[in-house]
Amino acid sequence: MRFKKARRGSEGRQLKFTLFASLLALASQTAPVPTANWPQFRNTAALTGIASTTLPATLKLLWTYEAGGAVESSAAIVDGVVYVGSASGELHAVDLASGKGKWKYRAAPADFGIGESSPTVAGGTVYIGDLTGMFHAVDAATGKARWTFKTGAEIKSSPVVAGTRVLIGSYDGNLYALDTTTGKPVWKYGTENYVHATPAIWNGVAYFGGCDEYFHGVRISDGVEVLKLAVEGYSIASPAVAAGVGYWGTYGNEVIAVDLGTKKVKWRFEDKDRPFPYYSSAGLARDFLVIGGRDKMVRAIDLASGKSKWSFATRARVESSPAIVGDKVVVGGGDGKVYVLDLASGKKLWEFEAGSGFTASPAVAGGRIVIGDTDGKLYAFGGA
C-alpha cells in the first residue's frame, strides 16, 4: 500500500510538472518577448517590429558593406552577427561591430537571387528562401548548408520558427511546415494564390493574409485550417499580432484589424483622399500601430478605434516596415532616406540620405540600426 501511495504521489507531481510546462509553453506562444537580438523579420514570431534595445541620442553612419546586389531582404542580428540576403543570390554574414564579412553562402544564381525573404536565425541555423523557390538551412557559424527544400515557385515570404518546425510561404500557393533538423515536410496548407506574407504566430496558430483575398489561420501542430476570412483585398504585408488581434494592410487600400477570437473584422482604416495599397507591415506601439504606405506616408493608427493618430510625409513610396525602438520609429523610404521619427507625434528626429531607395526593413539590436538599399549597400548606424 505504501508503494502505491508513493506511486500516486509521483504521478501527481509529474502531472503538475507537465501542466506547468504546458502553461509555460503556451505563455511563450501567447506573448512573444523581444530579445537582445533581432533574429527574424519583425523580430518576434508575432511580427510586432518592437526592438528591445534603445538608440543613442546622436546617430551616425558606422559602416557600409557591399552585398553585390540589391538588398530587399531585411537583416537578422544575432550575437553580434548580421545575416542578410541579396539579389546576388548570396546569404551574407557580417560582423555587426566592424562591418567586415564573415562568410557568404551561395543560395541561388545571380539571375534569380534572394528577394524579400529575410533570414531567421534559431538554434545555430539560418533559414532563408530564394527566388528559384529553394528554401535553405545554413549553419550560422560556418555558412555551410545543412539542408534544402524545393517549393514549386519563388519564395518572398520570410521563415518563422515554432519549436521543431519552420514555416515558409511560397508563390506556389502553399504555406509549408518543415522539420527544422531534417527539412522534411510535416504538412502544407494550400491557398488559392501566392503566399507572399510572413505568418505571425499566436496561440499555436500561424496567421497570414494571402493573395487570394483571405486571411488564414493554420494550426501549427497539424496544419488544420482554423480561420479563413474574406477580406476583399489581397495581402502582401504580414500581420502583426497583439492581445489576440491581427493588424495588417492590404492591396485594397485598407489597414484591417481582425479579432482572432471572434474571427471577425474589428475595424478597417482607409484614407479616402489617398487610396493607395500597403506593402509595409505594421509595427505595434503601446496603443497604436505604425505603418508605411504607397501614398508616401508613414501613419500611426489607434489600435482600439482604427482612427488616424498622426502621419508623416516622405517623397516616395514607403514599402519598408517600421521598427519601434523605445520612443522612436525607424523606417526606410523609397526616397532613399532612413528616418527616425518621434513615436508619439511622428515628428522627424533624424534622417540619412543614401544613393538609392530602401524597400528592406530596419533591424535594430545592440543600439544599432542595420538596413540595406536597392543599390546593394548594407548600412549600420549607431553612436560614437
Side-chain angles (χ1 to χ4, degrees), residues 31-326:
V33 177
T35 68
N37 298 312
W38 187 282
Q40 66 161 77
F41 181 63
R42 313 305 291 139
N43 192 22
T44 69
L47 308 186
T48 55
I50 301 171
S52 60
T53 187
T54 58
L55 293 175
T58 302
L59 287 167
K60 67 176 185 178
L61 177 65
L62 299 178
W63 51 258
T64 61
Y65 171 86
E66 295 288 344
V71 179
E72 296 180 283
S73 174
S74 302
I77 306 172
V78 173
D79 297 337
V81 181
V82 178
Y83 302 91
V84 72
S86 71
S88 67
E90 294 170 311
L91 172 64
H92 305 260
V94 181
D95 181 71
L96 177 62
S98 66
K100 296 187 181 299
K102 295 176 71 68
W103 52 254
K104 297 178 185 179
Y105 167 81
R106 169 62 63 183
D111 54 345
F112 286 93
I114 296 172
E116 295 165 46
S117 186
S118 302
T120 288
V121 186
T125 302
V126 188
Y127 302 93
I128 195 167
D130 68 38
L131 296 179
T132 71
M134 190 71 77
F135 187 63
H136 305 261
V138 181
D139 186 280
T142 65
K144 303 298 183 183
R146 289 189 168 172
W147 52 258
T148 59
F149 175 80
K150 188 73 167 70
T151 73
E154 63 195 68
I155 297 174
K156 295 188 176 182
S157 174
S158 299
V160 180
V161 172
T164 59
R165 295 173 185 183
V166 57
L167 308 181
I168 189 67
S170 171
Y171 267 46
D172 66 8
N174 292 302
L175 177 70
Y176 294 89
L178 309 176
D179 183 274
T180 54
T181 302
T182 65
K184 293 182 178 179
V186 180
W187 52 256
K188 70 176 181 180
Y189 169 82
T191 73
E192 298 171 32
N193 209 323
Y194 308 138
V195 179
H196 184 112
T198 298
I201 295 174
W202 186 263
N203 280 1
V205 177
Y207 293 98
F208 65 99
C211 293
D212 57 1
E213 302 190 4
Y214 285 94
F215 186 64
H216 301 269
V218 186
R219 201 160 56 208
I220 296 170
S221 62
D222 53 15
V224 171
E225 176 183 285
V226 298
L227 174 64
K228 186 177 180 181
L229 179 67
V231 292
E232 301 171 3
Y234 66 91
S235 301
I236 297 296
S238 305
V241 180
V245 181
Y247 306 89
W248 81 104
T250 75
Y251 257 55
N253 308 331
E254 294 181 315
V255 179
I256 300 177
V258 169
D259 187 304
L260 304 179
T262 64
K263 303 180 181 181
K264 294 181 180 180
V265 173
K266 184 178 177 183
W267 52 253
R268 295 174 182 263
F269 169 86
E270 181 180 4
D271 187 335
K272 299 292 186 181
D273 297 323
R274 303 177 70 88
F276 284 84
Y278 291 90
Y279 208 94
S280 168
S281 300
L284 299 186
R286 293 177 293 273
D287 54 3
F288 57 91
L289 63 83
V290 183
I291 192 169
R294 285 196 161 180
D295 61 353
K296 307 179 184 180
M297 307 291 286
V298 180
R299 300 177 180 278
I301 301 171
D302 185 83
L303 294 184
S305 66
K307 303 296 183 183
S308 177
K309 180 177 174 66
W310 54 255
S311 61
F312 172 79
T314 74
R315 299 181 301 178
R317 294 175 172 179
V318 183
E319 298 187 351
S320 175
S321 301
I324 309 297
V325 191

